[in-house]
Amino acid sequence: MKTLKLSLLFGFCFLMLQNGFGQIEKAPARSEGEGPWSQLIIRGATMINGTLAPPQGPVDIVVENNIITQVSVVGYPGVPINPSRRPALKPGGKELNAEGMYIMPGFVDTHAHIGGTSQGTPAEYVFKLWMGHGVTTIADPASGNGIDWTLEHKRKSTKNEITAPRIMAYTAFGSKLNGGTGREDISSPEQAVEWVRLNAKKGADGIKFFGAEPEVMAAALKENKNLGLRSKMHHAQVYVGRWNVLHSARAGLTAMEHWYGLPEALFDDRTVQDYSLDYNYQNEQDRFGEAGQLWTQAAKPYSDKWNAVMNELLELDFTLSPTMVIYEANRDLSRARRAEWHEEYTLPSLWEFYSPSRQSHGSYWHYWGTEREIDWKKNYELWMTFINEYKNRGGRVTVGTDAGFIYELYGFSYPREMELLREAGFHPLEIIKAATLNGAESLGMDDKIGTIAVGKLADFVITEENPLVNLKTLYGTGAIKLMEDNTIQRVGGVKYTIKDGIIYDAKQLLEDVKEIVRKEKEKTNYKILQPGIKG
C-alpha cells in the first residue's frame, strides 16, 4: 500500500498540493445530533471556563438561537437546588440535565489537517473523531484537499449540514486557487502580493507558510496583515537559515507551528544546525533524527539571548502552537505504536501509512533506536521549558495536534497534547485556557467562542469526570479506575459535544468511527500480526 511517491522538501501538506494528489471523500449529510432549539438550558453542571477561573457550580446555562443568554449560579455543591432560583424553560425549549457533570467551552484544535489522500481517511471519519473528543473548532493548516473543498465544508459546517467542527481555512502559500490542487511558482514580491490578495478574495481565513525567499516572505506577510488575515508557519529547514521565527514575527506572522525556526532564532554560537556531513533532507530519518538534537544547540534557558528572543515574541503578541504530540513517538516509539485506541479506531490504510517508508511523510522509522529517543527526551525538556516560561510571562500557547501522521490519531491526540502541556508545567486550568480561549484568540474568534459567556456561541464540552483531576478521562477510551467495590472500570470520555446548540452524543460518534474501521477491515480482510506489518 506504500505507493505514494513525493518529495519531502516542505512537508507532506505542501507537497500534496504541489503534486496534486486529489481530495478525500467528502462528509455526508448530517444525521446525528439533537437540535437546535429556540431555547436550550443546560442544568446543574460544574463550569470549568477558559478564563483561569476555578470550577464553579452548579450552574444553569441558557442558550437561545445558538447564543448564550444567561449563565446562572443556582446553588451549592451537595445542597438541593432551589427551583425558584433557576432560569425558566420557555415553550418549545429543551432541558439537558448535567447535574454532577463538568462543562467547558468547545475545544479548539489550531493545527488540524482534514485527512490526507494517501492515508485513506474520509472526512466523516476525521470529523467524528474530533467531535467525539469535544473539538468544535479547527484550523486546517494548508487546506490540503484544495481551498474550494475546504471552504465548501466550512460552509456546510457553519450551516450544520454535516457533522463537523467549525472550520477555519488556511491556504498553503503558493497553492493554486482555482479549486484544484497544485502549486504556483512565486518568485517575486509582486507575485506574492497578488497571490495573497487572490487568497483573501477567495474567502480563506489565512495562510500557512513553509518558507520562501526573504523578500517574498516579507511582502506576503505584510500584505496578508494589511488585509486582516491570520497566518501560520512551519519554518522549513531549507529556508530557516535565512528566515527564522523572529524574521516571521517581525514581518507580521501571527502564529508559529511546531518549533522549527525557534531554536535557530536562539543560536548564540553558530548560524546553522550542526548537520551530519552526510545529512540529506530528503531522508526522513535524517530530518527527524537530527532535529532531536537542535534544542541543545540553542542558547541555554534564561540566558540573555534566550530571554531577548522570548521578550521580543511576547511584545509582538506572537502565538505558539507547539503540537508536541506529533513528535512524541520520537522519544518513545513503542508507546506511540501500541496506543490502545489503534486497534479499534485506526483505519488500516492509516496504519499502513504510519509504518516505515522512505516515501511517506513522517514514516521515518528506518532504524529508530535508543540514542535517537534519548536525544528527543532532552529536546523535549528544553522545548517545554521555553513553552512554559512563555506562558508564565503572558504569552499565548494553544493546543494543536497535526494528527494523521507519526502514529497520532485524530481526536485522541488532543488530550495527549493536553497531557504534554501538563508535563511542561501548565496547571490544568492553564491547559483548558490554551484549549479554548487561547485557541479562539489565535484564530481571531474570541468574540464568538473560547469562553462560556453571554453573547458567545453555544459550543460546549460536557464530561462526567473532572478533567482537571485526570486529563486521561478526556480520551475516547476513557481511563481505568479501581472503584470502591474493588471492580475495575473504564470511566470518562466526553459525554456530550455541543456545537451551535446542537447536542451530539460523543460516545456514539466514536462508535460510528469504530464501525467505519470494522467494515474496512472486514472488506479488506485486514489483520495486524505485528505493529506496522500487514498479515
Side-chain angles (χ1 to χ4, degrees):
M1 297 179 70
K2 293 285 186 163
T3 59
L4 178 64
K5 296 181 179 179
L6 46 79
S7 165
L8 293 167
L9 187 58
F10 307 120
F12 175 78
C13 305
F14 188 74
L15 270 296
M16 184 171 68
L17 290 166
Q18 183 180 32
N19 295 331
F21 288 117
Q23 301 167 335
I24 65 171
E25 182 181 327
K26 293 182 179 181
R30 178 172 72 91
S31 60
E32 302 83 11
E34 294 184 65
W37 295 270
S38 57
Q39 185 194 49
L40 168 65
I41 302 181
I42 303 167
R43 301 282 195 190
T46 297
M47 180 173 66
I48 305 174
N49 215 339
T51 62
L52 299 182
Q56 188 177 22
V59 300
D60 283 1
I61 299 170
V62 182
V63 174
E64 296 183 0
N65 299 316
N66 191 27
I67 301 296
I68 300 171
T69 59
Q70 190 175 346
V71 181
S72 298
V73 178
V74 294
Y76 303 89
V79 178
I81 300 173
N82 184 344
S84 65
R85 298 187 58 178
R86 313 192 83 163
L89 185 69
K90 297 178 181 179
K94 165 74 175 181
E95 287 185 315
L96 180 65
N97 183 4
E99 290 186 17
M101 300 183 193
Y102 299 82
I103 188 166
M104 295 162 281
F107 294 149
V108 180
D109 191 328
T110 54
H111 194 116
H113 296 285
I114 305 176
T117 55
S118 60
Q119 291 102 316
T121 50
E124 179 186 10
Y125 171 81
V126 177
F127 289 152
K128 286 184 175 180
L129 280 167
W130 281 326
M131 292 281 283
H133 284 87
V135 176
T136 57
T137 299
I138 65 156
D140 183 342
S143 295
N145 295 290
I147 186 61
D148 281 3
W149 189 101
T150 306
L151 290 174
E152 176 189 347
H153 282 73
K154 175 181 177 175
R155 288 189 293 270
K156 288 180 177 179
S157 175
T158 299
K159 295 178 181 179
N160 293 301
E161 295 173 352
I162 57 176
T163 299
R166 187 172 289 102
I167 298 169
M168 300 298 283
Y170 285 65
T171 317
F173 180 61
S175 62
K176 290 182 178 179
L177 297 172
N178 60 1
T181 57
R183 178 172 174 250
E184 307 284 4
D185 291 322
I186 298 178
S187 58
S188 71
E190 294 76 18
Q191 289 175 322
V193 169
E194 180 183 8
W195 186 93
V196 170
R197 289 173 178 170
L198 289 172
N199 184 56
K201 185 177 181 180
K202 192 76 174 178
D205 298 296
I207 301 174
K208 168 73 175 291
F209 292 91
F210 292 89
E213 295 300 308
E215 62 273 14
V216 171
M217 284 295 307
L221 282 167
K222 180 180 179 181
E223 184 64 19
N224 192 63
K225 184 178 181 179
N226 288 341
L227 293 171
L229 270 66
R230 302 278 162 159
S231 51
K232 298 175 173 290
M233 187 164 180
H234 168 154
H235 291 76
Q237 299 304 105
V238 292
Y239 289 113
V240 77
R242 291 196 296 161
W243 189 274
N244 61 40
V245 168
L246 279 181
H247 296 106
S248 294
R250 291 165 181 164
L253 187 76
T254 56
M256 65 168 288
E257 308 298 296
H258 317 309
W259 53 270
Y260 305 110
L262 181 53
E264 288 87 348
L266 291 165
F267 285 164
D268 60 359
D269 62 353
R270 69 195 70 215
T271 62
V272 67
Q273 178 180 338
D274 187 19
Y275 296 109
S276 298
L277 299 185
D278 60 350
Y279 178 103
N280 188 328
Y281 187 73
Q282 300 302 108
N283 182 317
E284 288 278 81
Q285 178 147 337
D286 280 357
R287 177 184 165 192
F288 283 88
E290 297 200 15
Q293 302 165 358
L294 192 46
W295 274 94
T296 60
Q297 299 168 39
K300 292 183 179 180
Y302 310 106
S303 65
D304 290 345
K305 176 74 171 184
W306 196 88
N307 282 319
V309 170
M310 178 175 291
N311 289 336
E312 184 170 357
L313 293 176
L314 288 168
E315 289 171 6
L316 292 167
D317 193 29
F318 195 65
T319 297
L320 305 186
S321 177
T323 70
M324 288 183 285
V325 66
I326 200 60
Y327 304 102
E328 194 182 15
N330 297 342
R331 68 175 188 172
D332 191 348
L333 177 58
S334 296
R335 179 195 181 282
R337 287 164 66 96
R338 299 315 301 153
E340 60 183 342
W341 43 82
H342 283 315
E343 185 65 31
E344 291 187 305
Y345 293 98
T346 299
L347 277 170
S349 57
L350 184 54
W351 187 258
E352 287 295 316
F353 181 84
Y354 291 152
S355 62
S357 168
R358 300 187 190 280
Q359 299 170 330
S360 299
H361 175 54
S363 299
Y364 45 85
W365 320 106
H366 305 173
Y367 196 46
W368 201 258
T370 305
E371 300 306 310
R372 291 297 196 198
E373 292 192 352
I374 292 171
D375 285 343
W376 269 96
K377 288 174 182 176
K378 294 176 182 176
N379 217 43
Y380 266 88
E381 290 176 8
L382 294 168
W383 184 16
M384 286 177 167
T385 299
F386 191 95
I387 293 168
N388 191 52
E389 184 64 13
Y390 194 76
K391 173 265 300 177
N392 288 342
R393 297 187 191 183
R396 185 183 303 107
V397 178
T398 67
V399 178
T401 60
D402 197 13
F405 305 94
I406 316 179
Y407 295 105
E408 292 302 332
L409 186 57
Y410 308 97
F412 285 92
S413 58
Y414 199 86
R416 184 56 192 160
E417 180 72 2
M418 291 173 144
E419 287 192 281
L420 290 169
L421 288 174
R422 186 73 182 100
E423 182 182 338
F426 284 51
H427 187 281
L429 286 172
E430 293 174 324
I431 296 170
I432 299 302
K433 182 173 181 283
T436 57
L437 180 56
N438 287 5
E441 288 179 345
S442 75
L443 301 178
M445 300 180 70
D446 51 302
D447 61 330
K448 297 180 176 66
I449 61 171
T451 59
I452 299 174
V454 171
K456 292 197 175 183
L457 299 178
D459 286 10
F460 308 103
V461 183
I462 298 178
T463 63
E464 294 176 303
E465 299 291 322
N466 185 349
L468 303 181
V469 173
N470 187 355
L471 291 166
K472 293 183 186 299
T473 60
L474 291 174
Y475 287 115
T477 46
I480 295 173
K481 183 177 183 180
L482 182 64
M483 309 304 287
E484 290 297 323
D485 62 1
N486 213 33
T487 61
I488 300 171
Q489 296 183 20
R490 280 193 180 271
V491 299
V494 173
K495 176 73 170 177
Y496 301 112
T497 297
I498 301 178
K499 174 190 169 251
D500 287 332
I502 298 172
I503 303 171
Y504 294 89
D505 181 334
K507 296 180 187 295
Q508 183 56 54
L509 294 179
L510 295 181
E511 286 296 318
D512 293 349
V513 172
K514 287 168 66 173
E515 184 64 11
I516 291 171
V517 173
R518 187 195 65 78
K519 287 182 177 178
E520 186 62 25
K521 286 183 176 181
E522 185 178 78
K523 183 173 71 175
T524 59
N525 194 30
Y526 189 92
K527 295 179 181 178
I528 299 175
L529 299 182
Q530 295 181 33
I533 299 176
K534 182 179 177 182

